[in-house]
Amino acid sequence: MRYTSALIPTLKEAPSDATSQSHILLLRAGYVRRVGAGIYSYLPLGVRVLRRVERVVREEMDRAGALEVSLPALLPSEYFKETGRWDVFGDILFRLKDRKGSDYHLGPTHEEIITDMARREIHSYRDMPRNLYQIQSKFRDEPRPRGGLLRCREFSMKDAYSFDSSEDAARASYEKMRIAYTRIFDRMGLTYRMVSADSGAMGGSGSAEFQVLVQSGEDFIAACSSCDYAANLEVAETPARAPTGDGSQLPPRERVSTPGQRTIEEVSTFLRAEPARFLKSLLYVAGTEVVMAVVRGDHELNEIKLARALGVGDVFLASEEDVRKATGAAVGFAGPVGFAGKLLVDRDAMNVIDGITGANETDAHFIHVQPGRDFEARVADLRSVKDGDPCPSCGQTLKVYRGIEAGHIFLLGTHYSDKMGATYLDESGTSRPIVMGCYGIGVSRLIATTVEQFNDSDGIAWPISLAPYQVHVVQLGAEPEVVAAVTELERELEARGLEVLVDDREERPGVKFKDADLIGVPLRITVGKKALDRGGVEFKPRSERDPKKAELVLLGDAADLAAQWVKDRLAALTPESSP
RNA sequence: CGGGGCGUAGCGCAGUCUGGUUAGCGCACUUGACUGGGGGUCAAGGGGUCGGAGGUUCGAAUCCUCUCGCCCCGACCA
């Protein structure tokens, strides 16, 4: 592609509403443009990257035996009404009516539609296993789209669904997808972790997220530094701490005045006691009930764990009014001692010796509190793991990272097939529900995620597998020998199957180099009179920051060297081919 | 949904508080000259319903009301 025929509108300045690195760079380098909140157009470069991501995903899905289908994005409401998700999805659904007034919506995900396909077309155990996938636009009216392509209202997703005749077979299908996913992310060169996660609203028994580790990530994950344990902070575990001492000689608890001292930080400064001795008492509404949850002052309560311990779907922090009603004190002075309602205490909080807690009386706390002596409670794992906690699987240290969820695989079981009557006949002629799994990859999100991980102060530096072009030829000057060399080089590179961008603009060298760095094509070959006089052209990988490190190669060798360079880079990312 | 902020040329912004020539600046764009290995210089240009509607006024980008859009933070860790 000749730059003078291309549409690559690079910008010196980023639009002011772009915040994340990927958003800024994808806009500046001319890959995408914003059309509305969380809605983007792809310019030619953007489409090329999108196709690259899709290609890797398709190749690995096909390798794993999945079959590509295409489901509609515009959906009549009846399917989501069948499973109840017409209501469950709430405001996330983009809803619309047709001219007759019937309800429709744009598909946020396609379990129902694919289950409908399965119940129509899969009738026998002989028809399974099957795995159907598609790459398609999804629509979700996100409460807050953000980060450019990271969280959009219209986005491209690969979604796959497996159909099996038993739990065991479904687990095997799930395992195949797990392997396919690791191959996909490996081929993209991403630094990521597969983590266990909350299966949330999807229902089902098992799930794993593929989290790409980047500073700007929305999710927190805990990963072990020595074994392969990794989990979303929502569900990450750590063993309970042993009691720090012996509480048997502790003096009786004592009420102390703490006027206006509400937060752990304030009270801990006021009483000169470290936060780990505090019993942080939070009031939550679970269903119709107000419950008190207690964690150590230096720990964070995990709402998902609390909800699970209570056997409810969701918990909400109680309002100021509810706190007063339940404890008889202002917010900031709640405590488990003498609390009349339902009380849950974290394991580590239960092991605190000589604790401090609110006295359920405004401007007062208790000191010398001993769990078990001063109050009894139901004990559970309620707190989030924090940096430095021991790993539940090997005992080494956990570290907390930020990540972007790029993929998620679920074992669904028979959740959807039960609701929608997707059954098959087994060998004995008995009708049974199909066992399902579902597997998503955020295709457009991966573009942004990749840029988050592969950029520097000059621009993007694509991994070879996703780059819009593999070679960027920079033509300097318009002398006949330069033009001839560029034309010859372009032909030779393309003859070797490489995708080439040739900057043939009448621009100053500085402009061309800046644009090349911004766009991020992995290999740059500079053709100018200077180098030609020395017999060649200059090679420089985008990842090499120092311009002086450009390597002079003979013009006649350039195409072969470039082809080899690209091949080596691709090979480095490609996992061993498994049978 | 709560809080904050912003809509003026393709992009980045000034002007708005304190109403008053023809609405400015930088980048980008067009033309020309010089220049020519990391975002050059000079000159001459083109480009604006000042988000929209209504109102106040002799006069509105500026004041008032309504409205639309967008961005950020938060969505409760006492």
Side-chain angles (χ1 to χ4, degrees):
Chain A
M1 170 59 67
R2 291 269 159 166
Y3 208 120
T4 49
S5 313
L7 181 63
I8 308 176
T10 58
L11 305 169
K12 279 191 185 174
E13 285 179 288
S16 58
D17 53 13
T19 47
S20 67
Q21 270 309 301
S22 62
H23 194 191
I24 291 168
L25 291 173
L26 288 169
L27 287 169
R28 282 194 55 212
Y31 286 82
V32 300
R33 290 292 184 258
R34 197 187 69 88
V35 171
I39 307 172
Y40 286 83
S41 291
Y42 289 77
L43 289 157
L45 280 186
V47 168
R48 293 187 73 95
V49 175
L50 188 63
R51 298 287 173 256
R52 286 276 171 184
V53 175
E54 289 173 354
R55 191 164 106 187
V56 171
V57 170
R58 270 203 183 89
E59 284 175 3
E60 294 303 333
M61 292 305 290
D62 292 348
R63 176 198 298 274
L67 308 166
E68 185 164 4
V69 296
S70 179
L71 306 174
L74 178 64
L75 304 174
S77 63
E78 56 192 88
Y79 300 95
F80 271 52
K81 281 176 178 165
E82 252 187 277
T83 59
R85 291 211 294 182
W86 179 257
D87 297 317
V88 171
F89 262 96
D91 291 337
I92 297 289
L93 274 193
F94 273 108
R95 296 162 202 265
L96 56 157
K97 289 188 188 293
D98 70 3
R99 61 174 74 205
K100 286 180 289 193
S102 309
D103 286 322
Y104 284 78
H105 70 281
L106 300 176
T109 173
H110 282 76
E111 281 76 13
E112 283 83 352
I113 314 308
I114 202 78
T115 305
D116 177 65
M117 184 180 278
R119 74 181 162 185
R120 290 166 188 272
E121 322 299 347
I122 295 181
H123 302 114
S124 159
Y125 70 93
R126 295 176 205 275
D127 298 332
M128 293 182 281
R130 289 293 184 276
N131 186 323
L132 304 177
Y133 79 97
Q134 62 168 346
I135 297 175
Q136 190 220 34
S137 280
K138 300 285 190 243
F139 300 86
R140 296 182 188 173
D141 194 356
E142 292 284 346
R144 200 179 142 200
R146 67 183 96 183
L149 292 186
L150 285 173
R151 182 171 291 277
C152 282
R153 296 199 293 173
E154 175 177 347
F155 58 98
S156 172
M157 177 168 156
K158 186 284 301 176
D159 48 325
Y161 307 89
S162 62
F163 303 93
D164 283 284
S165 53
S166 70
E167 285 287 343
D168 282 350
R171 193 157 283 285
S173 294
Y174 177 88
E175 185 59 17
K176 265 191 175 172
M177 282 296 105
R178 190 185 66 72
I179 291 165
Y181 272 42
T182 59
R183 291 182 58 93
I184 288 168
F185 295 115
D186 284 344
R187 284 182 61 182
M188 296 179 181
L190 294 164
T191 302
Y192 67 97
R193 278 305 197 67
M194 187 180 90
V195 310
S196 44
D198 186 38
S199 34
M202 300 294 285
S205 48
S207 85
E209 289 174 350
F210 287 78
Q211 291 273 355
V212 178
L213 305 184
V214 295
Q215 274 307 305
S216 56
E218 292 185 316
D219 291 334
F220 289 89
I221 65 170
C224 181
S225 44
S226 71
C227 76
D228 61 3
Y229 178 84
N232 194 298
L233 209 61
E234 292 173 343
V235 298
E237 294 181 5
T238 186
R241 298 295 171 82
T244 48
D246 174 16
S248 59
Q249 302 303 312
L250 193 69
R253 76 167 182 270
E254 189 182 327
R255 181 187 165 286
V256 295
S257 175
T258 51
Q261 312 294 310
R262 292 156 185 275
T263 65
I264 296 294
E265 200 183 2
E266 285 165 1
V267 185
S268 105
T269 309
F270 186 79
L271 296 175
R272 295 204 183 93
E274 59 196 38
R277 283 179 53 205
F278 283 73
L279 300 169
K280 184 156 72 178
S281 309
L282 308 165
L283 287 142
Y284 273 88
V285 178
T288 53
E289 196 178 18
V290 175
V291 302
M292 181 181 285
V294 179
V295 296
R296 234 166 64 174
D298 59 332
H299 290 162
E300 299 295 330
L301 183 96
N302 182 314
E303 293 183 358
I304 287 176
K305 289 183 180 179
L306 176 61
R308 192 167 299 164
L310 289 166
V312 298
D314 250 331
V315 293
F316 304 93
L317 205 62
S319 66
E320 220 170 301
E321 196 190 327
D322 285 337
V323 172
R324 269 179 200 281
K325 220 177 284 173
T327 65
V331 169
F333 304 96
V337 179
F339 179 70
K342 187 182 269 187
L343 177 64
L344 271 82
V345 179
D346 180 65
R347 300 168 306 179
D348 292 349
M350 210 59 195
N351 282 337
V352 166
I353 304 295
D354 192 7
I356 301 170
T357 181
N360 294 324
E361 179 189 337
T362 303
D363 296 340
H365 280 77
F366 286 130
I367 59 171
H368 305 318
V369 173
Q370 197 48 48
R373 180 190 75 178
D374 293 310
F375 63 90
E376 288 295 340
R378 199 184 132 198
V379 180
D381 175 12
L382 297 180
R383 71 149 172 123
S384 288
V385 165
K386 65 177 191 176
D387 222 73
D389 279 338
C391 169
S393 125
C394 75
Q396 292 301 303
T397 313
L398 291 176
K399 192 163 160 45
V400 175
Y401 299 91
R402 302 189 76 155
I404 295 173
E405 182 187 348
H408 204 154
I409 58 178
F410 293 90
L411 268 176
L412 293 173
T414 57
H415 183 82
Y416 292 93
S417 41
D418 282 340
K419 285 195 167 158
M420 298 185 66
T423 60
Y424 70 98
L425 293 183
D426 69 10
E427 286 143 295
S428 66
T430 310
S431 179
R432 297 184 182 283
I434 295 172
V435 185
M436 292 174 55
C438 74
Y439 316 94
I441 287 183
V443 171
S444 49
R445 172 179 283 185
L446 264 174
I447 294 173
T449 305
T450 304
V451 175
E452 290 288 335
Q453 212 165 71
F454 294 93
N455 74 79
D456 57 33
S457 55
D458 291 319
I460 303 171
W462 292 107
I464 191 77
S465 50
L466 301 185
Y469 295 93
Q470 287 132 23
V471 184
H472 190 143
V473 175
V474 176
Q475 173 188 327
L476 297 186
E479 295 87 348
E481 65 265 44
V482 172
V483 172
V486 164
T487 305
E488 173 64 11
L489 180 59
E490 180 183 26
R491 190 168 56 229
E492 290 295 325
L493 290 166
E494 285 178 346
R496 284 161 181 76
L498 297 172
E499 292 173 299
V500 188
L501 177 64
V502 178
D503 192 347
D504 56 343
R505 293 175 299 172
E506 287 181 36
E507 286 286 355
R508 301 170 65 83
V511 172
K512 295 190 172 193
F513 291 140
K514 287 290 184 190
D515 276 339
D517 286 347
L518 186 57
I519 291 166
V521 170
L523 179 61
R524 189 180 85 192
I525 303 178
T526 306
V527 182
K529 193 150 187 322
K530 264 190 193 176
L532 282 180
D533 288 347
R534 288 159 59 206
V537 296
E538 291 153 273
F539 261 50
K540 191 184 83 64
R542 174 61 182 81
S543 53
E544 172 55 60
R545 299 295 305 277
D546 184 355
K548 294 196 177 60
K549 294 255 175 79
E551 186 192 348
L552 188 75
V553 306
L554 292 174
L555 177 59
D557 296 341
D560 280 331
L561 286 169
Q564 190 60 45
W565 188 89
V566 169
K567 199 175 156 198
D568 290 347
R569 289 301 175 292
L570 276 171
L573 293 177
T574 308
E576 292 291 306
S577 195
S578 47

